[in-house]
Amino acid sequence: MVAFFLPRASDDEQAERLYEALAEFAGCEPAPRGQRVRAIAFPQDGAQWVAEVREELRGQRTTQQLRRGELIERTETLTSSTRVLAVYPGRPFVVVTDAQPITGTPSEWANPFHADPDRVTWFDAS
């Protein structure tokens, strides 16, 4: 497990302030230490995506096609230049990115956006 961190924070105190500010922006409650999310994997629009703090959103879409009686499976790698700043647990989980309106960067993802993960990776509880 990895200790809690946020991109753009130079120390633990600043990370805490930023975590609380991003939760306020997202309209959700900041999670207490020991319940903070490092990454989630979730389905969205027929693809499996991963939102990991400090990383760009990434995903995979697998399609199947029947060709001449043979089932052909193709896996497409999906990428987004949208970088994850924080993930907040809940029903649904809330993901905050570095896209508009936080920065001027446009994105195909809303900011924040909601996701129902099928896998969660937590930060270290310490």
Side-chain angles (χ1 to χ4, degrees):
M1 292 179 91
V2 174
F4 175 72
F5 66 85
L6 286 183
R8 302 181 182 184
S10 57
D11 58 35
D12 290 347
E13 188 176 309
Q14 186 180 27
E16 289 298 323
R17 286 194 311 270
L18 182 57
Y19 187 71
E20 289 179 14
L22 290 173
E24 185 175 328
F25 162 75
C28 63
E29 290 296 316
R33 286 192 178 275
Q35 296 176 22
R36 294 186 179 171
V37 178
R38 180 175 177 211
I40 59 172
F42 60 97
Q44 180 77 25
D45 297 330
Q48 187 67 23
W49 286 90
V50 174
E52 183 173 353
V53 173
R54 193 181 7 199
E55 302 295 327
E56 292 178 347
L57 288 165
R58 61 189 186 277
Q60 284 190 332
R61 177 179 289 122
T62 301
T63 56
Q64 296 178 340
Q65 185 177 25
L66 193 58
R67 185 174 291 161
R68 297 184 190 162
E70 184 179 342
L71 188 62
I72 298 172
E73 192 170 275
R74 289 188 347 197
T75 300
E76 175 186 10
T77 299
L78 306 169
T79 58
S80 172
S81 60
T82 303
R83 191 168 302 277
V84 176
L85 298 179
V87 181
Y88 297 92
R91 292 185 187 246
F93 280 52
V94 178
V95 180
V96 179
T97 70
D98 65 352
Q100 292 175 342
I102 290 180
T103 67
T105 306
S107 174
E108 63 276 14
W109 295 86
N111 190 24
F113 70 86
H114 297 108
D116 290 312
D118 45 27
R119 192 176 75 240
V120 179
T121 303
W122 303 93
F123 280 109
D124 190 8
S126 59

